[in-house]
Amino acid sequence: MSITEFILSQPEDRQELLSNLHEIIFQNDKTVTPVIAPMMGKEMIIYNAPGIFKYGLSSVKNYMSLHVLPIYGSPMLYEKYKTLLKKASFQKGCINFKNKDEMPFDIVKQLITDCSKIDLRAIKEQYLRSKKEKLK
């Protein structure tokens, strides 16, 4: 399934919002490649950076979600955007929302731009090295 087909398969009132969020991610983080794939039992748009999952955009029964792995590992980014996106519902690594009012595009663009600078693979490799060193 293509990205366009996935978006068009969503409820009509969500299609424009999902399309705009997809474009924001795709245009503002050149490190990612989008694909349709399952995550947590649901098909969604998965944005993979080289060697690692970075974002996910999903549409479930009562809301949509933007999974943002960089905020999971950055308390500073998490707090910044939790304050800026006051109407959205924050989980550990995702932001749940029901409409455009909860996800203003200018703030989402800023979020993705901030996250685009984060090399998750390097962070993961450093973590694994430090974990291995502790075992010695």
Side-chain angles (χ1 to χ4, degrees), residues 55-70:
Y55 312 107
L57 184 58
S58 68
S59 175
V60 295
K61 187 175 180 178
N62 295 319
Y63 57 89
M64 293 161 278
S65 290
L66 176 60
H67 301 265
V68 187
L69 198 58

Side-chain angles (χ1 to χ4, degrees), residues 87-99:
K87 295 180 181 179
S89 174
F90 274 68
Q91 307 302 315
K92 284 184 179 181
C94 72
I95 305 165
N96 298 328
F97 56 97
K98 294 181 180 176
N99 56 52

Side-chain angles (χ1 to χ4, degrees), residues 23-106:
E23 283 302 313
I24 288 169
I25 296 166
F26 192 67
Q27 294 299 319
N28 293 284
D29 190 339
K30 300 298 184 185
T31 69
V32 297
T33 303
V35 296
I36 303 300
M39 187 171 97
M40 300 180 342
K42 298 283 182 186
E43 292 270 304
M44 66 178 69
I45 307 172
I46 301 289
Y47 302 85
N48 290 314
I52 197 160
F53 163 81
K54 196 166 188 180
Y55 312 107
L57 184 58
S58 68
S59 175
V60 295
K61 187 175 180 178
N62 295 319
Y63 57 89
M64 293 161 278
S65 290
L66 176 60
H67 301 265
V68 187
L69 198 58
I71 67 169
Y72 184 78
S74 173
M76 182 184 79
L77 279 180
Y78 180 90
E79 290 303 322
K80 175 182 179 180
Y81 288 100
K82 188 173 182 179
T83 300
L84 291 172
L85 295 167
K86 294 176 186 157
K87 295 180 181 179
S89 174
F90 274 68
Q91 307 302 315
K92 284 184 179 181
C94 72
I95 305 165
N96 298 328
F97 56 97
K98 294 181 180 176
N99 56 52
K100 184 181 182 247
D101 292 338
E102 295 179 6
M103 292 293 278
F105 296 147
D106 58 333

Side-chain angles (χ1 to χ4, degrees), residues 24 28 77 80-81 84 105-115:
I24 288 169
N28 293 284
L77 279 180
K80 175 182 179 180
Y81 288 100
L84 291 172
F105 296 147
D106 58 333
I107 296 172
V108 175
K109 182 179 177 182
Q110 187 181 357
L111 167 65
I112 299 302
T113 299
D114 284 348
C115 290

